[in-house]
Structure formats: C-alpha cells, structure tokens
Amino acid sequence: MRFPSRKVFMKDWMVTSLFLLLSLVLVGYFVYVCIGWNVIVSLSDWKGLTPSYNIAGFDQYLSLFHDQVFLTSLKNNLILILLFVPGSLFLGLFLAILLDLKVRGEGAFRSIYLLPFALSFVITATLWAWMYNLDVGVINTLLEKIGLGFLRPMWVADPNIAMYCVVLALIWQFSGYTMLIFLGGIRSIPESQIRAAEVDGASGFDLYRYVVIPQLKAPALSAFIVLMVFALKAFDFIYILTGGGPGWSTYVLALMMFKETFRKNQFAYGGAIATILFLLALVIVVPYLYLSFRREKE
Amino acid sequence: MRFPKLGRVTLYILLIFFIFAFLLPLWTCITTSFKTLKGVIDTTPVEPPLGPLFRLPYPTMEPLITAFNIMKRSLLNSFTFTVAAMILSCLLGSINGYILTKITFKGSNTVFLFFTIGIFIPYQAVLVPLVLTMSKLGLYNHLGGLILTHTAYGIPITTLLFRNFYGLIPNSLIMAAKTDGAGTWTIYRRIVLPLSLPPFVVAAVFQFTSIWNDFLFGVVLTRGQNQPASVVLANLKGTTTVMWNLLMGGTLWYALPVLVIYLVLGKYLMRGYMAGAVKG
C-alpha cells in the first residue's frame, strides 16, 4: 500500500474546501445577508433615491395594514392559495390517472401537458394576453364562431373576474408539473400491491380511490409546497399579463413590493412587504424541511 | 385494463381535448406570427395563413423578421449570461454535492440546510440589497452582474440535484481510491467527475431554462442595451397593443431555445423537475 504524502493530501483538501467556501460565501451573502439587509431597510424611513437608514421601527408594517392596496394584494394571494393550488393539484392528479390507464403514446401526451411549465412566465403571460384580448383575441373570436359572440366577456379587463382569469391561466401552466409529480408517485407503487388489490376485487375507480391515491401523500406534499410557495411569490406572470390592473384588482404582494420599490421609490415600504413575503414563505417551508430532514435521518 | 368501466374512446377523447387546451395558446402564437396585420383581423387566430387555395391569406415572414431585429441584441445578451451562469452554477453545485455526500463532516447537514433554504426564498426579499450590491461592484447594468446573480441563486438547486445523484455512487469506490492515496480533490477529478455526465445534463438543462426564463433579475439589474430578451419582450408587449403578429413573433423567438431544449432533452428536464420537487 502506498501512503499519500501529507502535503499532497493537504493541498487536495484545500482546493476542495476553497470551492465549498466560495459557494458558502455566495449563498451566505446573496441569500442571508441580503435578507437581513432588507429587514433593516424595512425598519428604516428610506423614501426616494438616496438611502436613509434612520430607524423608524415598525411604522411601515403598521401603515401596511391600513393600506387598501396591501389588503387587496393579500386577498389575491389568498385566492391563489385557495383556487390555484388545489386546482393545479386536482387537474394534475386527474391527468396523471388518465395517463396511467395504459395509454398509447403516453410519452407524447406527457410532454405536451408539461410544455407550458417549461416556458417563461413572460411567454405564457403574453400568450394569455392574446387569449384574453377583447377584439381579436383567441377566446372571444372562438366564442363568436360558435355563436356565443354576444357573451364577449371582458376577461382580464373586468376587475370582477380578472383575478380568476389569472388563476385559470396559471392552472394551465402548472398542472403539467403536478401531473409529472403524481405520475412519478403512481409509478413507484409496487406492481405487486396493485395486483393484490385487483385479486381482492378492486378495480377501476375503487382501485385508485383506495389503493393508489392514499399512497400519493409524499408527492402530493412536495407538489403542494412548490405550489404554495409560488402562490406567495407569484410576480412575473401577473405583472406582464395585467400589471396588477384593472385598478388594483390583480395586485399580489410581490407585485406591490416591486411597484412600491422600483416605481415609486418607497424603499422602506417595499422592504416591509418583502419581509412579510419572506416570513410567509418560511411558515410554509420550514416545517416541510424539518419533516423531510427527519425522514432522511431515519 | 385497470379501468374497465371507462370506455377507451372516452379516455382518448379526454386526452385529446386536453392536448387542444394545452396547445391552443402556442398554436395561435405560431399562426399569428406568420400573418399580416390585416390577416390577424380577417382570420380567426386558430387558422394558419395557408394561402388562397384554402381561402386564407398568404403567410408572411415580416413579423418574425421585424421582431428578430428588435430582439436580436437582447437574445444574444440572454444567451451569454445564461450559458456562463449555467456552467458556473453547475460546477459549484457538483463540488458541493460531492462534499456533502462523500466527505461527511460535522455540520454537513447544516450546510445542506443552509443551501436548501435558498431554493424557496421569494427573491423580492433580496432585491433592494442585490441592486445596491451590484452598483457598488460596478456590475449594475452589466452582464457580469446577471452572471454573478444567477450563479449565486442557482447554487442551492444545483447542489440539491448533484447531492441526490452522488448519494447513489457507492462509498466503497471512494474508500478504495482513498486507500490508494488519492486526496479529496483527486477523487473528485478522477472518479466522481467522470461519472457525472447524467447529473450535469440534468442540472444544465434545468439551469439553462430557469435562467433564460428569468424576468425579475433582468428587469431590476439592467436597462437599455444590456436587457435580457425576457425584459425586451415584456416591453414590446407594453408598448404595442395592436401589433399582435409582431408580439407573437417576438414571443416565438424568445421561446425558441427552450422549445428546442425541451424537444431534444426534455427527458432530462423532467428529471430535474422531479428531483427538485422531492424537496423543493
């Protein structure tokens, strides 16, 4: 056996740890230091283009809760959580079950359903602006063709339904993703279990209801977390499709933060919204990470 | 035959209905980008401009050419910083994944958690400090700033992807090399890296698509000439409300690289989505 010289060994260890150190510094600075810095901004009185770090305490946070726009944004994030999250989960599960029924050309169907998820929000938002356009847009033109032209809904131009139009388009974009996760979950159930259930007389709907779906808790949870975090931080899609309008009807927290900070230069105010957004994300993610780390240890 | 009661015909009708639903926006994007403005008004969006033989207008390349001229600079920008940040974040992620699985040290779980949280944070929570930092570094409105940003925020997910894969390399292989006198870096270079083509492809397509698709960092860190394609397209949408053919042409150009990757390497992208979703 040839023993390594101590010098070579040390040099090797140094190179490796230098790379780890570089990653730690980058993530440490750009994630943790920046979040901390943003919290400090949120506690200041910084307005306008020159930074100001005079402590104003929780003033920004307090005024947020009297701000109608903030409350509307909060409500719209809640709509995303209550409609977009379950909508994507159910449609994804439905598609996964359909594709599990020994479909010919399953790969092609799967690829097409997942395609919107691979595209940029800038693309999907532009596409849906075209879908929802009032005069020459896709949906209204098609409605006219089938004789329902009198309906001519205003879609994203109608403040009463604009947010639901956003939800519909987002479900379109995300359900391919949930389908993929569920399909992976279904495929990892041992064939023998399915056989055993079939021998016991379970078939069709019952087989899914009592045997397959109960075993999809883990994929359902991970998809749920991804969707929840998205429901909180959704920005690009809405910003480009509606810009938050008409009025404030499609404002969400991330969009309000962006406009307050980068359009109105209300840095402290925007910082407070960002901090709230971060804390809400932690509430969702930390228990989940705790659970999955504990499971990994076992 | 798991589902005898549901007729096969109904099943395929449903599946094909969803194909239409999922492809309708993209299909009308393609048809519209080949139409003149008059053609956009005279035909329904679903009709492709096949020419008078089908009682439809002639196709035109005009919108696609105009859109390309508006977007070419930004497409090149996007390509430059996307490829650079993709390579850097994959390399760093690979080394991290290796260290976290094969050189277990005290606190390696904490380090992993430290990275993992970075996957989930809403970027709004770092935007203002990020812009200030980039101006201090002289990297505001500079492609270097976007490379640094996308590399830093890419490390958490690439670390996760590589860690999942390296967990599958048997430890005995590493131990054997160790007893032969190889140090940690040598083991990485000579043993781990040559086995890493699959995770590199997965991480690379994942990073390419997510960096290429980004809008938020591009819009706050650049202006004018240095803007990425996502921002230029969004601006185009904001300024032209009636030129739908031009806008759809621009959309098509910006979507093209991701569409090509999806067609050729979609399998790996799916693996990335699935691995990323195991934990995040």
Side-chain angles (χ1 to χ4, degrees), chain B residues 249-267:
Chain B
T251 307
L252 213 51
W253 282 116
Y254 175 50
L256 196 62
V258 171
L259 288 176
V260 171
I261 287 185
Y262 192 79
L263 277 177
V264 182
L265 299 166
K267 198 177 73 181

Side-chain angles (χ1 to χ4, degrees), chain A residues 1-2 4 9 12-13 15-16 19-20 22-24 26-32 34-35 37-38 46 53 91 94-95 97-104 109-120 122-123 125-131 133 136-138 141-142 145 172 175-177 180-181 184 186 191 194 198 203-205 207-208 222 225-226 229 233 235-236 239-241 254 257-258 261-263 267 274 277-278 281 285 288-289 293 296-297, chain B residues 1-4 6 8 11-12 14-16 18-19 21-26 28-29 32 40-41 43-47 92 95-96 98-99 103 105 109 111-134 136-137 148 151-153 155-156 163 178-187 209 213-216 219-220 230 233-234 237 241 244 247-248 251 254-255 258-259 262 269-270 273-274 277-280:
Chain A
M1 196 149 84
R2 184 166 57 86
F9 213 80
D12 255 39
W13 172 234
V15 176
T16 323
F19 277 111
L20 179 66
L22 179 60
S23 295
L24 285 174
L26 283 175
V27 174
Y29 182 81
F30 284 102
V31 174
Y32 295 91
C34 284
I35 288 174
W37 189 348
N38 179 71
W46 179 3
Y53 290 103
L91 185 55
F94 182 64
L95 292 172
I97 291 178
L98 288 186
L99 286 185
D100 188 49
L101 300 172
K102 307 214 163 55
V103 168
R104 259 168 204 271
F109 285 110
R110 201 177 44 196
S111 297
I112 290 171
Y113 298 158
L114 183 66
L115 178 59
F117 186 70
L119 297 174
S120 169
V122 182
I123 293 174
T126 313
L127 293 180
W128 279 92
W130 171 227
M131 294 286 283
N133 177 271
V136 287
V138 179
T141 319
L142 287 180
K145 271 271 157 172
W172 168 84
S175 46
Y177 164 72
L180 183 75
I181 302 301
I186 293 176
E191 190 72 18
I194 308 283
E198 277 174 337
S203 72
F205 187 66
L207 185 69
Y208 280 94
S222 62
I225 298 294
V226 170
V229 172
K233 67 181 185 185
F235 167 73
D236 324 29
Y239 181 72
I240 292 162
L241 179 61
M257 180 275 167
F258 183 85
T261 310
F262 295 100
R263 296 289 177 261
F267 285 89
L277 206 52
F278 170 68
V285 171
Y288 173 67
L289 286 181
F293 264 77
E296 205 171 89
K297 268 189 190 155
Chain B
M1 281 301 290
R2 276 202 198 161
F3 222 138
L6 184 76
R8 300 303 282 178
L11 171 66
Y12 282 98
L14 263 176
L15 286 170
I16 290 167
F18 279 112
I19 292 276
F22 278 88
L23 286 186
L24 181 64
L26 259 180
T28 57
C29 168
T32 306
V40 173
I41 295 161
T43 57
T44 65
V46 286
E47 291 172 306
L92 289 173
I95 295 165
N96 294 338
Y98 160 66
I99 296 174
I103 315 175
F105 53 93
N109 270 333
V111 171
F112 181 55
L113 186 66
F114 180 84
F115 285 135
T116 311
I117 291 201
I119 298 174
F120 296 97
I121 61 151
Y123 292 133
Q124 255 74 10
V126 297
L127 277 188
V128 171
L130 177 70
V131 175
L132 293 173
T133 304
M134 288 304 165
K136 280 243 169 69
L137 293 174
L148 180 58
T151 304
Y153 294 111
I155 291 172
R163 182 182 175 270
K178 238 182 216 168
T179 43
D180 279 349
T184 47
W185 181 246
T186 317
I187 296 177
T209 50
N213 289 349
D214 165 74
F215 170 75
L216 185 60
V219 78
V220 296
S230 54
L233 181 62
K237 185 197 166 272
T241 43
W244 283 103
L247 188 57
M248 289 299 128
T251 307
Y254 175 50
V258 171
L259 288 176
Y262 192 79
L269 193 59
M270 285 184 201
Y273 289 149
M274 294 186 70
V278 170
K279 296 200 184 54

